[in-house]
Structure formats: structure tokens, C-alpha cells
Amino acid sequence: MKRLSIRWKITALIFFIVSFSLLLGGTIVVGNFVHTKEEELRQRALLTARTVSELSEIKQKINGTKKERNTINIIVERLRIIHGATYIIVLDMHKIRLSHPVKEMIGKRSKGEDEGPAFAEHTYTSKARGEMGIVIRAFVPVMNAQHEQIGVVIAAYQLPSFIQVLLSLKTEILVTTSLSLLFGGLGAWMLASHIKRQMFQLEPHEIAKLLVERTETFNAMHEGVIAIDTDERITIFNDKAKKMLGIHEDVVGQPIRSVLPDTHLPEILQINQPIYNKELQIRNLNILSNRIPIKVDGQTVGAVAIFQDQTEVKKLAEELTGVKAFVSALRVQNHEYMNKLHTIAGLIQLGHKEKALEYVFKVTEEQAQLTRFLSKNIKDESISGLLLSKISRGKELGIQVIIDRHSQLKKFPPHLDHHDFVVILGNLIENAFDSFQTVVDRNKEVYISIEQNDEILSLSVEDNGCGIDEQHKAHIFDEGFSTKGTNDRGIGLYLIKQIVEKGKGQIRVESVKGKGTIFTITFDM
């Protein structure tokens, strides 16, 4: 069965609301009209009754002869027609009717229950239901010249029924209803069309489907996703974010500061600019975050954060700066040892067995010394392996990598681990290698030093490469900045700066164009 369009649903709903409002409003208006009409009839009845009670002819004939009393009805009927009353009744003090629209009732005793106060000189009105419907009656005493009561005048006007009121207002009701429904229907259609456009021409079931798909998509992501609106209330909080931050309940709709007091996401609403690859600490968890304002038609309507556990990011960084280097080192060592084997084989074939044996001892001793030094002074296998790979990589590139024999690394500074140092050393050494691309007039050397005591740890990487231009020094730590002109550059030094800031360390750069560069990083222990 075909679904009814949201435009028609909204139009029908608003049309119903307008119709119901008209009915309700009309009922109130008619009710007020009836009430006003009732008050008007009360005043007319009182005026008519007083007019009759003040007539001298009536006063004279109430207690007159039978013939005189019979003429009262003629006088009263003439006045009833003039005033448009339903009926006017004149009673003497014995409640005998002296006038009545129905002649058979004249001369008979009235038994009305609300007439009593009128015979005690009281003037009042009442509402009563009779054979003709509801009537408004006014009771006025008739007083003689001596201020003695001699009778009562009752003037009555019929109150129009609800149907009679509607019929009397049929033109106004018809015009009002027609115009209201016309403009209400037009307005409903325009509003429904506007709402439809706001919903991108989608039907409610289509929006519901998109919402479910969006939620499942966010929950399937490997990254944590949190979004807020301009009131800093959470609109998205996917399962990965809950798992990383230790949250179990549904927090959508809650203020983000009540869920994450140390959040940095609301600052995006203030600066209205994205921040990429920013390392943050939330709930004692180090995360790498991308925070971006959400804009619709150029207007910021919220902000979203996409983040990863820094441990995973560090593993990836180590993959890029360390593991790839290890693979390269294995390839270099394989090439190097093949050359050495060829040298040994050549010496043996030439009959120089002693020189071949001496060569083997020399090569073995050099490697053993370096391995013993690294095992003794560098207490982390990842750093030792990285340094070995860079030495081998340097040999392949014709660069001598020298490690200060006083170097030592016993433990890492607070807030940092071996992943951070792999990133720092790997990037600094690779940058040093890159600095020799245009150098051909000198021996190429990279000098590495790691000094540590109970108070400080100092790490230094020095090269005699091409150096850094003065104009570039201020930007070398900016994300994406590179002098090499390739798209995959400009991230290494930026990552180093992030790590140094996290470890509350300091980084110093000394460089002379054409002579070399020294990077020195220090951390408090």
C-alpha cells in the first residue's frame, strides 16, 4: 500500500486543527452571543415591565370593576406588540391574571414558583423553561399613589435557541469559515512544503531508515566519534567512543561537559576552525583527535570529534618509522654481508687465508662491540633495533652514523614510552639522511647522543648536511610544512613537537645553511 506523503499528512493535520479551532472558537463566540443576548433581554424585560407598571390606566383598573379589569388585557397586548415581548402578564394581589396572550388563562390564578418576592415589592428577573422554550422574565410590583402594592407586572422575552443563533449568524459564519479554511489550507500546504524542503524531500520512514543506517555506520567505525550541537549537547556518541572512555549508558542529549568534564570539543564552536591530529588527554587516556565544526549552508550547527587511542596511533607510527626501517635494515645487512662473503671468498681463492681470517675477525668484532654497547647502555630493544637499522641504512647511503659511546637510556620520561622515542629518533635520523641529498663535497656524518641522569634526559641528533634556511626555521614544526615539495612530507617534525609537548620537554634547533643542523630535545625525569 502506498504511503501518504508527509506533505499531505501535515496539510491534513493542520486543516483538522484549523477546523477544530474554528468549531471551538465558534462555540465560544455563540455562547458569548447567547449570554450577551440574555443580558439584553433582561434589560428589555425590566424596561417593559416598568413601563406597564407605571401606566395610570393599569393602576386605576386593577382594583376596579369587572368591566374595567377586562380592558387591561387590551392595553397590555397593544404594549406587548409594540415592545416585541413574548408575553406580558398583570396580576392582582390575589395572583389572578388580568392579562395574558392566551385569553383562556385570563381570570385564573397564577401558580408560578418564582413570583413570591414580587408580591413583597421586589423587582427582579429570572430565567425559566416553558412550553415555548427558555424565557427571560422581569417582575415589577405595581404601586398606587399611596405607595401601596396593588399588583405585579410580568414581562417575558423568549431566549433564542442555539440553532436560532446559528441561523441568525449564518452569513457571518459562512464567510468566516470559508476564509479560515481557505487561508488555513493554503498556509498548511505552504508550511508542509517548507518542512518537506527542510527534510531534503524525504519522507519520515526514509529519515528513520537513514538515522538507523547512520547510527550503525558510526558504531561500525574503528574510531571514536562524538558530536555536539551549538548548545553543547551530545548528538552522536558511538560504541567505540563509549568503549574507549568507559561509558556504558546512553548519553545522547546530555550536556557533554557533564559526561566528559575535561572535553576539548566545545572550543571548536568558539574558534569555528578545525584542529587535526591533536594529541589530548581525556580521562587519563591519551588520544589523537581530529575536531571539525559541522556547517550547514555556511552556518555552524555543531562540532564533531573523531579520535583514536594514542597507543594504536603510536603503534602505527612505529610501524612507519621503525618497522619499515627494520625491513630496510635487513635488506641492507643482506646486501652488506653478501659483499663481505664475496670478499672472504676472493681472499681464499687467491690463497690469502690468513688475511681472510683477519678480515672475518675484524668485521665480527666491530659488530659485536656495537651490539654489546647497545645492549648495555640502551635498555629498550625497540630503540636498540632502530639504531642498528639506521647505522646499516647509513652505510648503504654512504653516510656514517656515529653513536656517542657515553650514550645511555635507562628509563623513559613521565608520560612517554618507547613508541614515542621510536617516532622521535626515527624521524630525526631520517631528516638527517635527507639533508645530504645535495651534499657532495664532504664526508657525510650523523652523530647521535642520548644522555641521562636522575634529573634530565637529553637527546641530540647532529648532521653536517645542507642545513635549514633562516626563513624556514619558524615553520619546520608546522603540520604539512616541508621543503621537499612532496605530498607525503611535513608530518615527522610535527609529530615530534606533539610528543615533546606531551612529555613537557623542550626542543632546540641549531642550523647553519650549508654546514649542518643539530636537534636537541630535553626532558625532566
Side-chain angles (χ1 to χ4, degrees), residues 94 163 186 214 220 227 277 287 339 349-350 436 450 492:
H94 300 288
I163 299 299
L186 181 61
R214 186 202 70 161
N277 298 321
I287 65 173
N339 289 334
Q349 288 176 358
L350 293 173
F436 293 111
I450 304 174

Side-chain angles (χ1 to χ4, degrees), residues 18 22 51 60 76 81 101 111 124 131 157 170 183 189 195 209 217 242 263 271 274 322 359 389 419 423 521:
V18 171
L22 279 174
T51 300
Q60 292 172 2
V76 170
I81 294 172
K111 299 179 181 180
Y124 58 94
E131 294 180 357
Y157 286 85
K170 60 182 179 181
F183 288 106
W189 181 261
I195 293 175
K209 180 183 177 183
T217 300
K242 291 180 181 179
T263 179
I271 64 175
Y359 179 76
S389 71
H419 298 295
V423 173
I521 299 174

Side-chain angles (χ1 to χ4, degrees), residues 97-205:
R97 298 185 182 96
L98 302 179
S99 68
H100 197 282
V102 181
K103 291 184 179 182
E104 289 76 8
M105 302 297 292
I106 298 174
K108 293 183 179 181
R109 181 180 174 84
S110 176
K111 299 179 181 180
E113 297 179 355
D114 54 353
E115 298 169 356
F119 287 92
E121 300 184 12
H122 288 287
T123 299
Y124 58 94
T125 62
S126 70
K127 184 165 64 173
R129 180 179 292 276
E131 294 180 357
M132 295 180 291
I134 298 175
V135 293
I136 303 297
R137 304 199 298 176
F139 297 83
V140 177
V142 181
M143 311 297 291
N144 62 15
Q146 289 77 35
H147 277 289
E148 296 174 346
Q149 185 173 357
I150 58 175
V152 172
V153 176
I154 304 173
Y157 286 85
Q158 185 177 0
L159 187 66
S161 65
F162 188 81
I163 299 299
Q164 289 173 326
V165 172
L166 290 179
L167 291 175
S168 67
L169 298 174
K170 60 182 179 181
T171 302
E172 292 85 349
I173 292 174
L174 181 61
V175 172
T176 302
T177 303
S178 300
L179 290 176
S180 298
L181 293 178
L182 174 63
F183 288 106
L186 181 61
W189 181 261
M190 293 174 64
L191 177 60
S193 299
H194 174 72
I195 293 175
K196 181 86 173 185
R197 288 194 299 271
Q198 292 293 101
M199 297 191 303
F200 302 100
Q201 303 297 327
L202 296 174
E203 295 296 321
H205 67 277

Side-chain angles (χ1 to χ4, degrees), residues 214-440:
R214 186 202 70 161
T215 302
E216 293 306 315
T217 300
F218 283 134
N219 288 335
M221 292 178 65
H222 188 63
E223 294 82 9
V225 180
I226 300 175
I228 59 173
D229 58 20
T230 51
D231 296 324
E232 298 185 7
R233 291 190 175 274
I234 298 172
T235 56
I236 299 172
F237 208 106
N238 73 341
D239 290 346
K240 183 65 175 180
K242 291 180 181 179
K243 182 178 179 181
M244 291 172 61
L245 301 173
I247 295 173
H248 306 288
E249 68 276 8
D250 185 11
V251 295
V252 173
Q254 298 184 27
I256 190 170
R257 295 186 189 275
S258 66
V259 179
L260 300 172
D262 49 356
T263 179
H264 297 269
L265 186 54
E267 72 181 60
I268 299 300
L269 297 175
Q270 301 170 6
I271 64 175
N272 201 26
Q273 292 292 333
I275 298 178
Y276 297 106
N277 298 321
K278 180 70 173 180
E279 191 172 334
L280 302 172
Q281 188 166 7
I282 298 178
R283 288 196 173 184
N284 298 321
L285 183 70
N286 290 324
I287 65 173
L288 188 66
S289 171
N290 293 311
R291 290 167 290 153
I292 307 165
I294 303 172
K295 296 187 178 183
V296 177
D297 296 330
Q299 184 73 24
T300 299
V301 298
V304 61
I306 303 173
F307 55 92
Q308 284 182 302
D309 187 345
Q310 186 68 357
T311 303
E312 299 178 5
V313 178
K314 287 176 181 176
K315 287 180 180 179
L316 179 60
E318 184 175 336
E319 175 80 16
L320 296 175
T321 58
V323 174
K324 289 173 76 174
F326 296 158
V327 173
S328 177
L330 290 175
R331 181 175 58 81
V332 172
Q333 286 180 357
N334 178 66
H335 181 70
E336 182 179 350
Y337 281 114
M338 286 298 295
N339 289 334
K340 290 175 181 178
L341 286 174
H342 291 159
T343 301
I344 294 170
L347 289 172
I348 293 174
Q349 288 176 358
L350 293 173
H352 302 300
K353 297 181 181 180
E354 293 182 359
K355 288 187 177 181
L357 188 60
E358 182 182 346
Y359 179 76
V360 170
F361 287 151
K362 180 180 178 182
V363 171
T364 305
E365 182 61 23
E366 287 178 357
Q367 190 67 23
Q369 285 182 358
L370 179 59
T371 303
R372 285 196 300 270
F373 163 73
L374 291 175
S375 299
K376 178 182 178 182
N377 290 40
I378 307 298
K379 297 301 182 180
D380 185 88
E381 293 80 2
S382 297
I383 306 301
S384 298
L386 176 68
L387 292 174
L388 277 173
S389 71
K390 296 303 181 184
I391 291 173
S392 299
R393 171 68 172 159
K395 288 180 179 179
E396 185 182 48
L397 298 174
I399 302 170
Q400 184 179 8
V401 179
I402 304 169
I403 300 177
D404 184 355
R405 286 302 189 262
H406 295 94
S407 295
Q408 61 176 348
L409 178 63
K410 305 299 182 183
K411 63 178 182 178
F412 297 105
H415 309 300
L416 300 181
D417 55 22
H418 69 278
H419 298 295
D420 297 307
F421 270 71
V422 165
V423 173
I424 292 174
L425 279 171
N427 280 292
L428 288 180
I429 296 172
E430 283 298 322
N431 283 350
F433 288 168
D434 289 340
S435 70
F436 293 111
Q437 290 182 358
T438 59
V439 175
V440 294

